[in-house]
């Protein structure tokens, strides 16, 4: 069994997010492990709780959330990228006196250190950018 | 051995050209998303790829673009599970953007 770290830099509106989701499912389906999902740059929008997808399209943030929940994955959202794009958890919302969390449950705000750690620990790192 | 992934069309981006310049004969190339257009038989790119490089193209993205039957025979069609295996066969993965 091998472990992967996936870097997701594409927003839910990009092909990159869907490719990364399909790759993550194939990693799990092949009996390998996902050490960490790292959502970076516009990829943090996959953690946005306020995205509404047309009924006939895949709702990528919800699809990610489902994958994270059902496999207990470590899903880290880059805090600097997230705050710039209006994605905040309860703590950040309180700190900046915003209107409440805009981040889906299952995702965790953290920093680039988590990416460095995953790069050292995982067998492979793969980047999905738009 | 490096797996190089290309996700942009060779018409709109020079990333495939830049990637080809760095590849050595043990490396692998995988085209996905709009990158799959370069696998078409009509594309001049298959002829520019260094000998010994293994060529792969993601079947799902070919089908999404309706070009499954136009692919150069030099390319091996892979699904996502084969993509995962390929990533493990190579020492590292370079995603050209």
């Amino acid at each position: 069994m091998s472990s992967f770290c996936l870097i997701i830099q594409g927003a839910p509106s990009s092909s990159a997010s869907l490719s990364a989701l399909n790759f993550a499912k194939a990693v799990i389906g092949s009996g390998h492990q996902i050490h960490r999902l790292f959502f970076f740059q516009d990829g943090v929008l996959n953690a946005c709780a306020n995205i509404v997808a047309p009924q006939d399209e895949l709702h990528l943030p919800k699809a990610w959330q489902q994958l994270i929940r059902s496999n207990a994955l470590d899903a880290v959202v880059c805090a600097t990228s997230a705050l710039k794009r209006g994605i905040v958890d309860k703590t950040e919302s309180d700190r900046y006196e915003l209107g409440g969390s805009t981040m889906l449950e299952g995702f965790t705000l953290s920093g680039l250190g988590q990416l460095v750690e995953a790069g050292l620990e995982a067998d492979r790192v793969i980047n999905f950018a738009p | 051995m490096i797996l190089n992934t290309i996700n942009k069309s060779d018409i709109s981006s020079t990333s495939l050209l830049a990637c080809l310049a760095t590849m050595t004969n043990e490396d692998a190339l995988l085209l996905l998303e709009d990158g799959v257009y370069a696998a078409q038989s009509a594309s001049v790119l298959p002829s520019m790829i260094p000998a010994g490089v293994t060529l792969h193209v993601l079947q799902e993205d070919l089908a999404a673009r309706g070009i499954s039957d136009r692919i150069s025979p030099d390319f091996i069609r892979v699904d996502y599970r084969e993509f995962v295996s390929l990533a493990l066969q190579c020492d590292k993965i370079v995603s050209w953007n």
Side-chain angles (χ1 to χ4, degrees), chain B residues 46-62:
Chain B
S47 62
M48 297 171 63
I49 290 165
V53 167
T54 56
L55 305 175
H56 307 265
V57 60
L58 199 64
Q59 176 61 49
E60 190 168 318
D61 288 342
L62 286 175

Side-chain angles (χ1 to χ4, degrees), chain B:
Chain B
M1 185 177 168
I2 293 174
L3 172 62
N4 294 274
T5 68
I6 298 283
N7 70 345
K8 289 188 179 61
S9 160
D10 55 310
I11 306 293
S12 62
S13 158
T14 55
S15 57
L16 180 54
L17 280 173
C19 163
L20 289 177
T22 73
M23 287 179 87
T24 63
N25 60 11
E26 288 205 331
D27 291 341
L29 177 72
L30 171 73
L31 304 179
L32 74 159
E33 299 169 19
D34 280 350
V36 301
Y37 286 115
Q40 292 184 101
S41 308
S43 164
V44 295
L45 283 151
S47 62
M48 297 171 63
I49 290 165
V53 167
T54 56
L55 305 175
H56 307 265
V57 60
L58 199 64
Q59 176 61 49
E60 190 168 318
D61 288 342
L62 286 175
R65 287 157 183 80
I67 56 167
S68 296
D69 57 353
R70 297 188 189 179
I71 298 309
S72 159
D74 299 333
F75 281 85
I76 302 162
R77 294 158 196 256
V78 296
D79 59 18
Y80 272 98
R81 286 202 181 197
E82 289 164 325
F83 181 4
V84 170
S85 302
L86 196 57
L88 290 170
Q89 284 161 29
C90 296
D91 307 313
K92 52 192 70 162
I93 307 137
V94 178
S95 309
W96 294 77
N97 296 115

Side-chain angles (χ1 to χ4, degrees), chain A residues 96-110:
Chain A
Y96 295 104
E97 299 177 345
L98 304 172
S101 170
T102 54
M103 196 168 79
L104 286 172
E105 283 181 26
F107 294 85
T108 312
L109 280 185
S110 193

Side-chain angles (χ1 to χ4, degrees), chain A residues 83-130:
Chain A
L83 265 68
K84 280 183 188 174
R85 291 167 178 81
I87 317 281
V88 288
D89 61 7
K90 174 79 168 61
T91 309
E92 296 302 316
S93 174
D94 290 349
R95 188 202 314 270
Y96 295 104
E97 299 177 345
L98 304 172
S101 170
T102 54
M103 196 168 79
L104 286 172
E105 283 181 26
F107 294 85
T108 312
L109 280 185
S110 193
L112 280 172
Q114 296 295 304
L115 176 57
V116 174
E117 190 271 349
L120 293 170
E121 292 296 321
D123 294 311
R124 295 290 182 278
V125 177
I126 182 162
N127 183 28
F128 291 91

